[in-house]
Amino acid sequence: MAPARKAHPLGTWDVPFSIVVSALGVLTATFLPMATHAPEWPDTLPNIVDSPSESLAAHTAELARRSPADADEALAAWRRLNEALERRDGAAVTEAQREFATRTRQVTAHNRDREESLRARACAVLGGPAPGDTALTRLAARHGLVNGASTVEARAARLSWCYLRWERLALDTPDEGPLEPITATLARVPRSLQLSFVRWVLGARCWALVGLPGRAAQREDPQRCAQLRTAMLPIARGVDPRYPSALAEAHIALWLGEDLRHVAATAPEGSSASVTDEARGAFQQAFEGYSRVLDRAPSRRVTRFAAAALAGMSRD
């Protein structure tokens, strides 16, 4: 029986291996300047300048607003939701999120001042130099947000993460309709905290973005990281028109390819080939992105990044 055909970003991946090797040889010869450079992997994404002190000031201003009546009921629902999320209890999370979203709407009556006052109180434990020990702070630790706990930068990052998380969890549950884009949610957060969140996303490792500690890695984790990072790039460009978004996009694709390679190495035998194909496609996307950057401005270092993408494409 002929082997099953596998969909692949470069076409149908069922050609003989000798032809694949030959094609890669031609590709390497075509891009010989890149092939002769030692591959280099980027350590970080280009990032933006934010103002952590302004983020803390925005939080303090929201805390100073009058607390809505029955705020304690909504905050109790928030705590129960965090506890269910910490346990990773799917059924309890669904029920607790529905209760939290309903209770928040009842308490705030969609009044934005009340919503912001309540949100600030829900996240207050993360705004201080010593976060304490609660379900919320333990969740923040899973995302790498408790390191450097007392610094202004760490406090701003924690608050921005919590503000966005509050807004996302207060939305209607998925069975009530499609979830809005994360950039739309971020628009309801004070501008300074938006920038703190963008800076955290662009600087954090994938394990921190998905809250990996305490659970097994999942196939969709690399894609989730890539999608979240990519969603922040338009905001970064808005902050700084000179932000190198094309280079950042190529870095994101390169990391996605490598992360997918790791997933493929531990995936069940029947699914590893498709993950490997996804990785190859990501490396191709990175290579094309670096090539476009080099067309505009030759650079030895970017050439080495392109060589890393080319090496990823050629790996079995």
Side-chain angles (χ1 to χ4, degrees):
M1 180 180 296
R5 294 160 65 91
K6 303 181 181 69
H8 184 269
L10 294 174
T12 303
W13 199 258
D14 60 353
V15 297
F17 181 73
S18 60
I19 296 178
V20 175
V21 173
S22 176
L24 289 172
V26 172
L27 186 63
T28 300
T30 302
F31 298 100
L32 184 59
M34 295 177 186
T36 56
H37 282 74
E40 179 180 345
W41 293 83
D43 294 326
T44 60
L45 289 175
N47 218 317
I48 62 169
V49 175
D50 66 335
S51 177
S53 59
E54 289 184 14
S55 294
L56 297 186
H59 173 65
T60 300
E62 290 193 359
L63 272 178
R65 293 177 185 168
R66 183 177 179 179
S67 179
D70 299 325
D72 288 347
E73 294 182 15
L75 294 175
W78 170 246
R79 286 191 296 272
R80 286 191 290 273
L81 175 55
N82 287 322
E83 289 163 359
L85 285 163
E86 186 193 8
R87 297 194 307 271
R88 292 190 165 109
D89 183 338
V93 167
T94 299
E95 181 179 349
Q97 183 179 358
R98 186 174 286 109
E99 178 198 5
F100 164 67
T102 300
R103 186 67 64 188
T104 300
R105 286 194 294 269
Q106 291 172 342
V107 169
T108 63
H110 295 292
N111 178 285
R112 198 57 196 159
D113 284 345
R114 294 175 190 169
E115 289 172 348
E116 291 173 355
S117 170
L118 195 58
R119 179 182 65 191
R121 281 161 176 75
C123 295
V125 67
L126 296 178
D133 185 23
T134 65
L136 180 61
T137 57
R138 291 190 291 274
L139 286 168
R142 283 183 188 167
H143 292 273
L145 286 161
V146 176
N147 297 332
S150 63
T151 67
V152 174
E153 292 79 8
R155 293 162 65 189
R158 286 198 299 271
L159 284 171
S160 69
W161 169 80
C162 187
Y163 271 47
L164 186 76
R165 192 167 168 277
W166 169 279
E167 292 290 341
R168 296 293 279 181
L169 291 171
L171 293 170
D172 291 337
T173 52
D175 60 341
E176 296 172 313
L179 197 61
E180 70 180 15
I182 194 166
T183 48
T185 310
L186 195 57
R188 293 195 295 278
V189 172
R191 179 64 174 171
S192 56
L193 283 159
Q194 289 180 36
L195 301 187
S196 292
F197 183 78
V198 172
R199 184 170 181 81
W200 173 66
V201 169
L202 294 179
R205 297 300 182 190
C206 187
W207 68 263
L209 295 179
V210 300
L212 184 60
R215 68 167 174 82
Q218 300 170 356
R219 175 174 175 169
E220 60 269 22
D221 286 340
Q223 291 286 2
R224 289 173 59 201
C225 291
Q227 290 165 3
L228 181 56
R229 288 165 172 155
T230 301
M232 298 300 106
L233 298 185
I235 303 175
R237 285 195 298 270
V239 173
D240 180 3
R242 297 172 300 174
Y243 181 82
S245 55
L247 181 64
E249 287 172 354
H251 285 351
I252 291 169
L254 186 70
W255 288 348
L256 173 59
E258 190 64 11
D259 288 343
L260 287 169
R261 286 282 188 187
H262 290 304
V263 171
T266 58
E269 187 174 347
S271 62
S272 61
S274 63
V275 180
T276 298
D277 284 351
E278 288 181 35
R280 222 179 254 120
F283 284 126
Q284 179 195 2
Q285 182 182 345
F287 180 79
E288 292 171 351
Y290 290 130
S291 298
R292 287 190 292 270
V293 172
L294 289 167
D295 285 342
R296 292 195 296 270
S299 160
R300 284 179 174 271
R301 194 170 190 209
V302 176
T303 300
R304 292 196 292 271
F305 294 151
L310 186 61
M313 291 167 63
S314 64
R315 269 188 286 167
D316 294 333

